[in-house]
Structures are given as structure tokens and as C-alpha cells.
Amino acid sequence: FTGEHRFSFGSIDADQPGKPYRTRLVHEERFTGLLSFLMGQGMLANAAGWRENTRQGFDTFNRDFKAWVEARR
């Protein structure tokens, strides 16, 4: 199988005058190929807990990435 990992960044308008603009991170992965049912949103992936493990890994990465970016302001 093949996993396509993707990050995209988008601007979020300031919600109040004088507040800075923010950035939205979209972090996703798409699996294709013969064994793709083992990963992503497939039934087997859910049954084995792999989907939840992947989500937790993404969440951890996103928190760490946010802290890294904000520390460099």
C-alpha cells in the first residue's frame, strides 16, 4: 500500500480588531493500494485500533509542531 501524507496551511481571519491572524493546519494521510483496507478508515483498521493509534500520533505531532512554531515567534 502507499500512504500519501499531506499538510496544508490556511489563514484564519482575526476574530476581533487588533488581534493577529491565525493559521489552520490540516494534517491528513490517504492510503491506496492492495492493503489500504488495513489502514485509514477501513473496518479492519478500526477493529485493530490502528485508526485510533494513527489519530493519536497525528494529535501528538500537531501539538508538538504548534509548540515548536510558537516558540520561534
Side-chain angles (χ1 to χ4, degrees):
F1 70 94
T2 300
E4 178 185 321
H5 209 106
R6 184 169 66 192
F7 299 95
S8 61
F9 299 89
S11 176
I12 302 173
D13 292 340
D15 56 357
Q16 297 175 7
K19 291 276 188 166
Y21 285 81
R22 298 178 299 153
T23 301
R24 172 176 286 123
L25 165 65
V26 177
H27 181 189
E28 58 191 344
E29 190 161 21
R30 183 186 333 183
F31 298 98
T32 58
L34 182 62
L35 300 176
S36 62
F37 68 93
L38 295 173
M39 302 301 291
Q41 297 182 19
M43 184 171 42
L44 184 57
N46 284 333
W50 296 332
R51 182 176 182 190
E52 180 61 19
N53 290 345
T54 300
R55 188 194 61 74
Q56 288 176 359
F58 277 38
D59 289 346
T60 299
F61 175 88
N62 293 344
R63 275 192 307 276
D64 291 349
F65 184 68
K66 181 179 188 288
W68 180 80
V69 168
E70 290 178 346
R72 280 147 180 75
R73 285 186 186 185

